[in-house]
Amino acid sequence: MRLHRLDITAFGPFGTSQSVDFDDLSAAGLFLLHGPTGAGKTSVLDAVCYALYGSVPGARQGSGQGMTLRSDHAAVGTRTEVRLELTVAGRRLEITRQPPWERPKLRGKGTTVDKAQTWLREYDATTRAWKDLSRSHQEIGEEITQLLGMSREQFCQVVLLPQGDFARFLRADAEARGKLLGRLFDTRRFAEVEKRLAERRRATEAQVREGDATLLADAHRMQQAAGGAMELPELAPGEPGLAEAVLEAAAVARADARELLTIAECRLTAAESAQAATGRHLADARELDRLQRRFAEARERAARLAERAEDHRAGQERMERGRKAEAVAPALELRDAAEGEHRRAAAAEARARALLPQALADAGAAGLAAAARRAAEELGGLEAAGRAERRLAELVDERAGLDRQERADEEVRQEAETWLADWEATRTALQSRVDTAQEAATRAEQLAVQRDPAQRRLAAARQRDRLTDDTEAARQRALTAAEDAVEARAHWLDLKEQRLQGIAAELAANLTDGTPCAVCGATEHPAPARKSAGHVDRDAEERALTAHQTAEERRAQAERHLGTVREALAAATAEAGEAPTAQLAEEAEELEGAYTRARTAASGLHAAQEELRRAEGEREQRVAAQQQAAVRSASRVATRDRLEREQAALEEELTRARGAAESVAARAAQLERRAALLTEAADTARAAADTAQRLKDADARLADAAFRAGFDTPADAAAALLDDTAHRELQRRLDAWQSEDAAVRAVLAEADTADAARRPPADLAAAQGAAADADRRLREASSARDAADRCRAELDRLSAQAAASVRRLAPLREEHTRVARLASLAAGTSADNEHRMRLESYVLAARLEQVAAAATARLLRMSSGRYTLVHSDDRSGRGRSGLGLHVVDAWTGRERDTATLSGGETFFASLALALGLADVVTDEAGGVRLDTLFIDEGFGSLDDQTLDEVLDVLDALRERDRSVGIVSHVADLRRRIHAQLEVVKGRSGSVLRQRCAG
């Protein structure tokens, strides 16, 4: 990296524009930046840093997004600006930065804040012109950081060598050195490795503890299953040997459980044998008790049978008399049937005779039958009279029908004559209506041809008037939409400009310590930009953009609508012409009225034609009806004469046949009812005589059957007869007594029952008690055996589960052991780490060793070969080792701490360290060549000889084509270094004066 030119305007103490030509200063290889205290020497270096990274070192950045960088001596209208021209990685670049600027408003009173601006340009040697690369803060920051290969902190340590920081570095302890070296060499990845290892160790340890806790839970369940006899290891989860101890205790518990199961099975076998013996004894006792009770019950039943023996004999005798009476039963049933039949026949005869006339009440069956035949013969003679009576009724109805027809035909003739009298007038009126409607229809057709064009012209005229108003309204809306779109675009552009001015504050809002800045890459943010009042964020800009796009869409839509309305207006005007709408409406209204009247008049044409056709048809019908009525009237005269003659003959015949009755039918009903009564009386008289004879015969047969059966009278036989229910009940009692007697005799004859009766009574209660005790002991033994088997099975299951857990945790335990060892080594807490050095410290120690070697090459020349810087791994106090730094004094041959150096020795030692650190960091950054370096202060502590040696070392840097700028106010340096940049301070601000070596 080589600086060419720096332009400063209103920056720091410089109120006006100042320029530095680094090419001219660097020609001598060594130049001096001097000036009184507070003049602004460091501000020149701050301007270089600000141009590259957009911020200045330390607290000088301030707050307010860099607004404190503005010079208080600058004019109100002058904007702060820093422009740096440099060559890096073979590319000549120009960086221009303007921090945020609070300026007076162009309109009105007050101030407004312009956002920060950044430009990056590159010189094209082919065209010999500058070309723009970017105006984005973030893109420019990433590009510069990538080209330089270092962050702002590294740049300030490597290019802007602050001697005070390195003097403190020499005297600092290992912790402070580690922080500085960590920022320079970015060893966060090694610290992250330490952190990841520690986290992995804690994670695997937690997993192992969780697995051991599960294993201990299984052990507690095994202890519970074993009844508390199992001894658990006194180890916590995660301690070594826990798994082996649990598995050993589980094996002992399983052996004890199997032994207890064997004992329980032996006890169960003994209990089963005892239970079988007591069961057999109880069965024998129960059988003896049953036989003894059976014999006692049989004796009691025999006694009860002896008490009922007399009743059994009486029942046998009653059953014998019943069997004899069964021989008389058919005769009894026949006599009862004959008696019942005779009673019914006599009752029917009495009812039939009660309905006969008194003259025939005592007549015999033959006399009643003869009277019935005479009534039937008279009834047969009335059939012809009945037919004549029905024909007479028909004749009366026919004469009434002829009278009704005569009246109807008379009404038809009179109505036809009345209607036909007005026919000519009616026909003339109807024909006139038809002619008038026909003329109106022709006129309506002619008007319809004129009506449609008139209506179209009127509609077009009205649309023309309406579209004229719509066109003006659409034009106004299009104009308004265009104005709104212009205003929305201007508002969006204003907000976009304001956001770009305050983008630094928006980016700073996401900065966190330790995280690189997206613009400059710095991990420290001492003074991030702050949002000013009225800051515009991304959401506000996007809302304004959305409003602008919406307004543009409304403008385009309004213009399209205006074009559509204008096209419709032109079409309507072409159709309607120039005539006023009122005139066209009046003409259309007159034409419509005439058309309506013609249509109304023409609408009756069809009705009139139909009415005329109906009237002509009705005339024809009435004439035909009049003629038909006259014909029917003439034919009815002959028919009426014939009916009158037939009616007179029938009335004479019926008078003879009715006699005293009202009609022939009434006389026939009287004769039919009399013949039926006489016939029924004759039949019942004959039936009563027949049943009396059958009853007499039945009495004779019954008396004979009773005598043969051994009964004195038929009544005795009837009393001895048993019905079915009584017979079955008596037979059941006799059979039950005999069955009971046989059963009792059989039981008393049994040998084993009689033998049991002679033995002592059975002790059933004692046998049952002994069997119950044996059952209880068997259940207890079975329960104990089942419990032992469950305990054994549960211990086997839990042991297998514990063994599986141990096998599953084995790889995790190995990983935890390996990770814990690596984490302890990386953290410096392991016994294998003799120096107690952390991984990050180890890497930094290697870098420090490189820095010490690079610094020693220059320190030997500055100290005339006396001092050498060496790296030490020794621990300081109780801290960790790895970052110790000692100086070896060649005059004494002893190694001592760098804190024992004097002020001048500390200066050139720190200078050598700074130069060595610059070389190492440059190599670390990818070998980017640093052609311009600055060394700030510290030269006032050197004597003349040492100062000459230091300047010789710095002058030797030119051999590597480097230029070194010394920042100092020591007067002797102005004599020794001819190329100078002087900072002169005054009341109106500082100015720069450049003097070259020539």
Side-chain angles (χ1 to χ4, degrees):
M1 181 197 72
R2 177 179 293 277
L3 305 182
H4 298 294
R5 183 178 180 84
L6 176 66
D7 296 320
I8 305 173
T9 301
F11 184 85
F14 306 103
T16 59
S17 297
Q18 304 293 322
S19 297
V20 179
D21 189 349
F22 286 108
D23 287 338
D24 197 7
L25 289 173
S26 301
L30 192 64
F31 64 90
L32 177 65
L33 175 59
H34 68 92
T37 302
K41 300 184 296 295
T42 305
S43 296
V44 176
L45 306 183
D46 288 346
V48 174
C49 185
Y50 179 75
L52 292 173
Y53 294 99
S55 60
V56 298
R60 295 193 294 278
Q61 174 72 16
S63 59
Q65 303 179 1
M67 296 182 66
T68 57
L69 300 177
R70 178 174 175 78
S71 175
D72 295 332
H73 302 286
V76 175
T78 302
R79 179 157 188 174
T80 302
E81 182 179 277
V82 176
R83 181 181 290 109
L84 177 64
E85 186 179 336
L86 75 160
T87 297
V88 58
R91 299 170 61 186
R92 185 156 185 164
L93 304 175
E94 181 189 80
I95 307 171
T96 304
R97 291 188 186 269
Q98 295 178 350
W101 177 35
E102 186 176 2
R103 62 169 178 80
K105 291 183 177 179
L106 299 178
R107 298 177 182 177
K109 298 181 180 180
T111 60
T112 184
V113 177
D114 286 344
K115 64 181 181 179
Q117 301 285 344
T118 305
W119 294 270
L120 176 62
R121 300 195 304 169
E122 182 177 2
Y123 182 76
D124 189 350
T126 303
T127 61
R128 296 188 178 185
W130 293 93
K131 63 178 181 180
D132 295 332
L133 295 182
S134 177
R135 295 191 61 178
S136 170
H137 299 292
Q138 181 175 356
E139 291 180 358
I140 294 173
E142 293 176 354
E143 180 73 12
I144 296 301
T145 302
Q146 183 176 3
L147 290 174
L148 293 177
M150 62 185 74
S151 64
R152 190 197 68 178
E153 287 77 9
Q154 292 175 321
F155 179 82
C156 293
Q157 292 289 341
V158 174
V159 180
L160 310 179
L161 302 178
Q163 297 306 306
D165 288 350
F166 282 96
R168 286 190 296 273
F169 182 79
L170 286 173
R171 299 187 180 93
D173 57 7
E175 191 71 23
R177 287 196 186 106
K179 291 181 179 179
L180 176 60
L181 292 174
R183 290 197 304 271
L184 291 177
F185 294 105
D186 191 14
T187 57
R188 288 175 298 176
R189 60 185 182 278
F190 301 102
E192 187 67 22
V193 170
E194 295 179 24
K195 180 180 177 183
R196 292 288 180 87
L197 287 174
E199 291 176 352
R200 184 56 183 163
R201 179 186 60 189
R202 289 192 294 272
T204 55
E205 183 179 2
Q207 293 175 353
V208 170
R209 287 181 180 275
E210 183 179 357
D212 285 348
T214 303
L215 186 61
L216 277 178
D218 291 338
H220 283 291
R221 284 193 287 269
M222 284 190 283
Q223 185 184 38
Q224 183 178 3
M230 177 180 173
E231 294 184 2
L232 296 180
E234 297 180 356
L235 294 174
E239 294 185 11
L242 176 63
E244 293 76 7
V246 169
L247 293 180
E248 183 179 354
V252 173
R254 290 198 306 275
D256 294 342
R258 287 187 173 84
E259 183 177 354
L260 292 176
L261 177 60
T262 302
I263 296 173
E265 289 176 346
C266 293
R267 291 178 178 173
L268 177 61
T269 302
E272 289 175 347
S273 300
Q275 192 265 350
T278 55
R280 290 192 295 272
H281 180 66
L282 177 60
D284 294 341
R286 285 175 176 170
E287 180 62 18
L288 178 61
D289 179 68
R290 184 186 68 80
L291 293 175
Q292 289 178 345
R293 285 187 287 103
R294 178 180 175 82
F295 186 80
E297 291 174 358
R299 296 290 298 272
E300 293 175 359
R301 290 162 63 190
R304 288 195 295 272
L305 287 174
E307 293 175 357
R308 300 200 307 271
E310 188 63 30
D311 294 337
H312 177 65
R313 285 191 293 273
Q316 288 178 334
E317 293 176 357
R318 179 72 176 88
M319 180 62 72
E320 181 64 24
R321 287 176 58 81
R323 280 195 295 271
K324 292 180 179 181
E326 289 178 358
V328 186
L332 285 172
E333 293 175 358
L334 181 61
R335 195 270 175 191
D336 292 339
E339 184 179 9
E341 185 179 359
H342 177 66
R343 284 197 301 271
R344 289 190 296 275
E349 181 186 7
R351 287 192 302 271
R353 288 182 179 277
L355 298 176
L356 296 177
Q358 187 65 34
L360 298 175
D362 296 331
L368 293 174
R373 284 193 299 273
R374 288 192 300 273
E377 292 175 355
E378 186 177 359
L379 179 61
L382 289 178
E383 289 182 3
R387 287 193 297 273
E389 188 177 33
R390 288 192 295 275
R391 175 56 184 163
L392 180 61
E394 292 175 358
L395 290 175
V396 173
D397 291 340
E398 289 180 4
R399 290 193 61 185
L402 290 175
D403 294 339
R404 288 194 298 273
Q405 291 175 4
E406 184 65 26
R407 289 193 298 272
D409 288 340
E410 183 64 25
E411 292 176 358
V412 169
R413 286 195 302 272
Q414 292 179 0
E415 184 179 357
E417 291 176 357
T418 303
W419 192 89
L420 290 174
D422 299 330
W423 164 241
E424 289 298 330
T426 301
R427 187 185 65 79
T428 302
L430 291 176
Q431 185 63 44
S432 177
R433 285 178 56 192
V434 170
D435 296 341
T436 302
Q438 186 67 43
E439 293 176 358
T442 303
R443 189 168 60 256
E445 292 178 357
Q446 296 173 352
L447 292 175
V449 176
Q450 305 173 10
R451 173 174 170 270
D452 292 340
Q455 290 293 338
R456 286 196 299 271
R457 289 189 63 195
L458 176 61
R462 289 173 176 171
Q463 187 176 10
R464 178 195 61 196
D465 297 343
R466 184 176 65 257
L467 290 176
T468 301
D469 299 335
D470 293 347
T471 301
E472 181 62 24
R475 190 183 66 80
Q476 292 294 333
R477 286 196 296 271
L479 182 60
T480 302
E483 294 175 353
D484 293 343
V486 172
E487 292 178 359
R489 176 178 174 80
H491 178 63
W492 167 57
L493 293 177
D494 290 342
L495 291 183
K496 183 177 182 181
E497 183 71 17
Q498 293 177 23
R499 180 168 177 255
L500 291 176
Q501 292 175 0
I503 195 66
E506 186 174 330
L507 294 174
N510 297 323
L511 293 178
T512 56
D513 289 338
T515 302
C517 175
V519 177
C520 66
T523 57
E524 292 185 358
H525 319 290
R530 297 291 185 266
K531 294 182 180 179
S532 60
H535 174 73
V536 177
D537 56 7
R538 180 186 294 273
D539 293 338
E541 181 187 350
E542 291 180 351
R543 286 195 298 271
L545 175 59
T546 303
H548 162 57
Q549 294 171 346
T550 304
E552 284 293 333
E553 293 177 359
R554 286 199 295 267
R555 179 192 61 77
Q557 183 177 3
E559 291 180 352
R560 289 194 299 270
H561 178 66
L562 177 59
T564 302
V565 172
R566 285 175 174 172
E567 292 176 0
L569 176 60
T573 303
E575 175 72 22
E578 300 298 333
T581 305
Q583 178 183 346
L584 295 176
E586 183 177 356
E587 294 175 355
E589 184 177 0
E590 292 177 358
L591 186 60
E592 185 68 23
Y595 175 73
T596 302
R597 290 191 296 273
R599 284 291 302 275
T600 302
S603 62
L605 175 61
H606 180 70
Q609 291 175 343
E610 289 295 325
E611 188 173 357
L612 178 60
R613 282 195 294 271
R614 284 197 301 271
E616 291 175 347
E618 185 176 359
R619 173 181 173 280
E620 294 176 355
Q621 292 176 359
R622 289 183 181 274
V623 170
Q626 186 179 19
Q627 295 174 353
Q628 292 173 0
V631 172
R632 288 194 299 272
S633 178
S635 63
R636 278 194 296 272
V637 174
T639 303
R640 185 178 289 108
D641 293 341
R642 179 179 59 77
L643 293 177
E644 288 177 354
R645 289 193 299 272
E646 186 178 0
Q647 181 178 2
L650 291 175
E651 287 178 350
E652 182 179 358
E653 181 182 356
L654 289 177
T655 300
R656 290 192 302 270
R658 283 197 300 269
E662 295 180 357
S663 63
V664 175
R667 178 59 180 168
Q670 290 176 357
L671 293 175
E672 184 177 359
R673 185 167 55 257
R674 180 177 180 183
L677 292 175
L678 290 172
T679 301
E680 183 181 3
D683 292 340
T684 56
R686 285 194 294 270
D690 293 340
T691 56
Q693 183 60 38
R694 286 195 293 272
L695 177 60
K696 182 176 179 181
D697 295 339
D699 286 337
R701 286 193 295 273
L702 176 60
D704 183 62
F707 177 75
R708 285 197 299 271
F711 294 101
D712 296 333
T713 61
D716 294 338
L721 186 64
L722 293 173
D723 58 15
D724 292 340
T725 303
H727 181 274
R728 285 194 299 271
E729 178 61 24
L730 180 58
Q731 186 63 43
R732 185 190 63 77
R733 289 201 304 269
L734 294 176
D735 294 341
W737 193 91
Q738 291 177 354
S739 299
E740 180 70 8
D741 182 65
V744 169
R745 292 177 184 276
V747 171
L748 293 178
E750 292 175 355
D752 53 351
T753 304
D755 181 62
R758 291 190 292 270
R759 294 174 61 184
D763 191 356
L764 188 60
Q768 289 177 343
D773 291 341
D775 290 341
R776 177 179 53 78
R777 287 193 296 271
L778 177 61
R779 287 194 300 272
E780 291 175 353
S782 179
S783 299
R785 189 265 177 195
D786 293 341
D789 187 56
R790 286 195 300 272
C791 177
R792 189 266 312 160
E794 182 68 11
L795 287 175
D796 288 345
R797 185 184 67 81
L798 292 175
S799 296
Q801 182 174 329
S805 299
V806 171
R807 289 192 300 272
R808 187 173 59 254
L809 285 175
L812 184 60
R813 291 182 190 275
E814 295 177 0
E815 181 184 1
H816 171 61
T817 302
R818 183 173 61 258
V819 171
R821 182 172 177 274
L822 290 175
S824 299
L825 283 173
T829 59
S830 174
D832 297 334
N833 193 335
E834 297 178 358
H835 297 289
R836 292 176 55 81
M837 187 183 301
R838 291 172 49 206
L839 177 61
E840 184 181 15
S841 300
Y842 176 77
V843 176
L844 293 177
R847 292 289 187 265
L848 183 58
E849 189 173 359
Q850 295 175 357
V851 171
T856 297
R858 295 182 175 87
L859 182 59
L860 286 172
R861 292 185 60 186
M862 293 180 185
S863 63
S864 301
R866 180 179 178 181
Y867 294 116
T868 302
L869 286 176
V870 295
H871 165 251
S872 174
D873 290 335
D874 296 337
R875 294 186 345 186
S876 58
R878 299 182 60 186
R880 296 176 181 172
S881 61
L883 298 179
L885 193 62
H886 291 174
V887 62
V888 178
D889 191 346
W891 291 0
T892 63
R894 300 188 62 182
E895 182 178 330
R896 55 192 174 98
D897 193 274
T898 54
T900 62
L901 295 172
S902 64
E905 293 171 340
T906 300
F907 168 72
F908 62 70
S910 61
L911 177 59
L913 185 64
L915 294 175
L917 181 62
D919 292 339
V920 175
V921 172
T922 299
D923 294 338
E924 177 72 15
V928 177
R929 181 177 176 83
L930 302 177
D931 296 322
T932 304
L933 297 177
F934 293 91
I935 300 175
D936 190 3
E937 293 300 342
F939 292 89
S941 60
L942 303 178
D943 56 26
D944 292 342
Q945 181 182 356
T946 305
L947 181 60
D948 289 337
E949 293 175 350
V950 170
L951 292 177
D952 290 342
V953 171
L954 294 178
D955 191 57
L957 293 175
R958 290 186 297 175
E959 298 175 358
R960 301 174 64 181
D961 197 20
R962 283 184 178 177
S963 61
V964 179
I966 298 176
V967 183
S968 179
H969 52 73
V970 177
D972 191 37
L973 289 176
R974 292 196 292 272
R975 178 180 57 82
R976 295 172 181 265
I977 302 174
H978 302 287
Q980 298 179 9
L981 180 64
E982 182 181 4
V983 183
V984 181
K985 69 178 179 180
R987 297 181 63 87
S988 61
S990 299
V991 295
L992 295 175
R993 295 176 182 174
Q994 184 171 335
R995 187 178 66 183
C996 298

